[in-house]
Amino acid sequence: MRTTTTMTLAPLTATLFLAVLLPIAAAGNGGRPRQGDYLNRLRGSPATPSVHVESSLAVASPSPAAADRAPAAVGRKEDDFVSQLPGQPSGVDFAQYAGYVTVDATAGRALFYYLAESTGGAAASASRPLVLWLNGGPGCSSLGYGAMEELGPFRVKSDGRTLYRNPYAWNEAANVLFLESPAGVGFSYSNTTADYGRSGDNKTADDALLFLLNWMEKFPEYKGRDFYLAGESYAGHYVPQLAHVILRHAAATAGKGSSPINLKGIMIGNAVINDETDTKGMYDFFWTHALMSDQAAEGINKYCGNFSAAASNSDKCDSATSEADVDLNDIDIYNIYAPNCQSASLVSPPITPSIDNFDPCTDYYVEAYLNHPDVQRALHANVTRLGHPWSACSEVLTQWTDSASTVLPIIQELLKNDIRVWVYSGDTDGRVPVTSSRYSVNQLQLPVAAKWRPWFSDTKGAGEVGGYVVQYKGKEKGSLSLVTVRGAGHEVPSYQPKRALVLVQSFLAGKTLPDCKKCESF
């Protein structure tokens, strides 16, 4: 028998966590919204439907909506080969592919991907796992953020035309697949414009599952390969939910042949996990980092409590949070110690770039680069179907129809199925801060397997503290690690790329993060 847990989102108050900082975050980045700013804009309906999370995988079946779709032609991977990106530096030792996978042939809905295979040539690529990376929003691009600003093999110079290598790219450790999802994000599109008003958590997960199944028909060498999901921000929903439907699909197809998706683990960074604790953690972070007054903190503690729907619905709670928010307009809430971008202008010839010192104007460089026609041709982007310029966060999605107030039940289910779970947090992010991640993970009430300790990002010599880690045991089986990344903002690989690479190397290897007392390198 299958049981269902219903998690109801209040029409307005449960959106408080993602709503209160909309003007703050935009102001702290030259007026440009970022990943954490989009959910409130998309929740346009007067009431958000309940979200159902299946609590048993054994007898689950695929989503009816997904099962009824007409099969799509997958095409040949050779047609998606990217021989060279414009402005690419010399000496590239990995293969690149980019293009589309249709997830609904009837609607004409197709998702755009970019694959950076592992460095070191074909033999190295064949021996390494596959990682799917997702950015959040919802509505923000994994190509623009993840691939071009964070963990991808290249970064964009200040001229918006040329690229330079990222020596700490995650394709040093794995084959990395970036997916622009849902349709309407980045280069992904639908021929049925009504789709842009029907996006939500459930549909996004179903489409991503169909993407993977169809993509693996195009790239059959990845069938059965060790597979991992990773992402940040609202991908705290995307990643566990996609993992969940992958397991449901595997259970439903058992006896009909093994699933091609060999899911081993998930990793989510500065992730939206549980609305109440995420919101409480955000305001506690503001106060402990001297970003709001004692009076504002007292008002929030008195009138908002633990940010339950009832408490956060009060006018007094709204007034208390408003007092806190007004003081944050002039900083980058995504990295509270970072400078803001001072000019949106491109610089030619480009200034000398630095991997170790992230340029706060990078958004503008990436937007310029991905809107060049020669770049779009190289990536096989169908801009005719798209009908509008590429943007880092979607301007065509009009509504988000369902959003779980918590993904903790899914994380519990993943642990029961022995899926490795890592939750990591850049400790200078104020948008979904480390306090939020700690409070949310603590809701699981898991026993500690290895106590809180520092980990080291430079294992040569004395080493350098990369952050802190605590490991938990699943209640039945599985394990969860909570990791901080010292000196990193919301987009951890942007601000601390070397530490982020050590993080993902450890995660993929199934090893604890380096302890300098017994240093080891990868």
Side-chain angles (χ1 to χ4, degrees), residues 344-366:
S345 300
L346 301 180
V347 181
S348 186
I351 58 177
T352 301
S354 170
I355 286 289
D356 296 318
N357 296 294
F358 184 71
D359 188 329
C361 299
T362 296
D363 284 1
Y364 297 101
Y365 313 154
V366 171

Side-chain angles (χ1 to χ4, degrees), residues 422 453-456 468-469 483 502-503 506 511-515:
W422 281 29
R453 66 164 176 85
W455 63 273
F456 296 84
Y468 295 83
V469 57
V483 183
V502 173
L503 177 77
S506 299
K511 297 181 179 180
T512 59
L513 282 154
D515 182 339

Side-chain angles (χ1 to χ4, degrees), residues 222-292:
Y222 286 100
K223 290 183 178 181
R225 186 90 60 98
D226 284 358
F227 177 66
Y228 297 87
L229 294 171
E232 70 193 11
S233 196
Y234 197 76
H237 281 214
Y238 290 165
V239 166
Q241 288 164 343
L242 175 54
H244 190 74
V245 298
I246 288 171
L247 293 181
R248 288 179 64 196
H249 175 264
T253 56
K256 304 175 185 178
S258 60
S259 171
I261 306 172
N262 184 22
L263 179 64
K264 294 294 186 179
I266 71 167
M267 186 166 67
I268 49 177
N270 293 88
V272 177
I273 296 173
N274 183 63
D275 282 358
E276 293 180 10
T277 48
D278 286 347
T279 310
K280 175 175 171 51
M282 178 178 68
Y283 284 109
D284 285 355
F285 182 89
F286 291 170
W287 185 73
T288 57
H289 287 74
L291 298 179
M292 70 181 191

